[in-house]
Amino acid sequence: MMEGPDNNGKNAHIVTASQFSNDSKGSFHFSCSAIDSEYFTTILGVLQMEKERQGAVFVLTEEGIKVTVEKDKVLQASAYMKENIFQEYKISGGIEKDREFRIDLTILLDCLKIFGDSAHIKLSYGGYGEDLHIILENHGVITECSIRTIQGPKPLDFNFRSSMLLNQASMKSKYLQDCFSELDIPGASNVMITMTPDAPFMSLKAEGDSISCKIEFPNDELADVFEHFQCQEYCANRYSIGLIQMCAKSLTRIPKSETTMIQINVEGMLKLQHIIRGKNGST
């Protein structure tokens, strides 16, 4: 609910910021609030793979919120938001199905951006089958949104940890973003990621119709590419260029100063973990 000047040009009632925290005190199993919505919006934006009908599953726990999206059962993206990033975080009562819901991520992001990237935010959820309630406040003006939750299957359990971790490296997100951009060449169907204990340490290669592109990342102090590099043995795996491009889109929404962890297990499953810090230093 947002009110402004009436038809006569006079100021109609505007809910003030002091009323924000007391508004919509209904019976909810879950509620949280934050002074700045930018961090919350950035994290959800990283997960967005589709412009329309992007289902996202929210799981609410005492420790925080986990949000998961999938693409064709071969790509899964999850975000973890610890409870300490919120100024207020409450969860009480209910059974398991009251602590998780599916929602259209695109619609949610549209609501969160009504005031741009920065606003006070409060989320409330009443349990299974209920709507997700959102309150946004910016300079004393408040808008309220209710989004219907939808039914759908639970995300697949990719269970990355069921197989032993083989190799991993952490690097500035901007390096990986630039690399993925260079690998987007005509006719390429996959990207080969190679990691080895010796030079060139890590390389990514794509082959197109008439050209190929290979990018190598050295592991030395002068290059200053990796924050951490651990390679137990040589490995080379191919991944769909389409899935890599989706990962690249996520990278464009991450502040370039942030870090991305690359992990590959013995089954060849690839995991990219983006570490995004809030303004208070929380991750």
Side-chain angles (χ1 to χ4, degrees), residues 2-13:
M2 180 171 61
E3 299 182 48
D6 60 19
N7 293 332
N8 296 321
K10 298 179 180 180
N11 287 332
H13 174 65

Side-chain angles (χ1 to χ4, degrees), residues 20-191:
F20 175 70
S21 60
N22 297 319
D23 202 32
S24 293
K25 280 193 173 179
S27 177
F28 297 112
H29 288 301
F30 168 79
S31 67
C32 67
S33 63
I35 295 176
D36 193 339
S37 62
E38 182 179 5
Y39 181 70
F40 189 70
T41 304
T42 297
I43 290 178
L44 294 180
V46 170
L47 296 179
Q48 190 176 24
M49 302 180 193
E50 309 282 356
K51 291 184 178 181
E52 298 179 356
R53 299 176 183 268
Q54 176 70 75
V57 176
F58 283 65
V59 177
L60 314 171
T61 70
E62 300 288 347
E63 293 73 30
I65 305 172
K66 178 183 178 181
V67 188
T68 302
V69 300
E70 289 182 337
K71 175 65 176 177
D72 299 333
K73 298 182 179 181
V74 293
L75 176 63
Q76 185 178 94
S78 297
Y80 302 87
M81 289 170 278
K82 298 177 182 178
E83 57 85 21
N84 63 1
I85 73 168
F86 300 99
Q87 275 62 51
E88 178 188 64
Y89 189 93
K90 296 180 180 180
I91 184 168
S92 62
I95 57 178
E96 181 181 355
K97 69 178 183 179
D98 291 319
R99 296 192 176 195
E100 62 180 65
F101 58 88
R102 178 183 288 268
I103 201 167
D104 190 311
L105 183 60
T106 304
I107 293 176
L108 175 57
L109 284 169
D110 286 344
C111 291
L112 293 175
K113 294 178 181 178
I114 288 175
F115 289 124
D117 291 330
S118 183
H120 287 61
I121 179 175
K122 183 172 184 178
L123 303 178
S124 304
Y125 179 61
Y128 181 76
E130 296 294 324
D131 294 349
L132 176 67
H133 296 273
I134 305 168
I135 303 176
L136 296 167
E137 184 270 333
N138 187 29
H139 299 297
V141 179
I142 286 181
T143 184
E144 297 183 30
C145 306
S146 291
I147 305 177
R148 287 186 177 180
T149 55
I150 54 181
Q151 302 300 313
K154 289 187 176 182
L156 295 176
D157 184 2
F158 277 33
N159 202 5
F160 180 86
R161 295 182 179 179
S162 65
S163 297
M164 185 180 70
L165 178 64
L166 187 61
N167 299 320
Q168 64 179 341
S170 62
M171 60 197 303
K172 293 295 183 184
S173 300
K174 63 179 181 180
Y175 295 142
L176 201 57
Q177 178 183 334
D178 293 342
C179 175
F180 284 164
S181 178
E182 293 294 328
L183 293 172
D184 187 12
I185 59 177
S189 61
N190 57 70
V191 173

Side-chain angles (χ1 to χ4, degrees), residues 199-214:
F201 299 104
M202 190 174 84
S203 66
L204 288 83
K205 182 179 180 181
E207 295 184 353
D209 294 329
S210 57
I211 60 173
S212 64
C213 178
K214 183 178 182 180

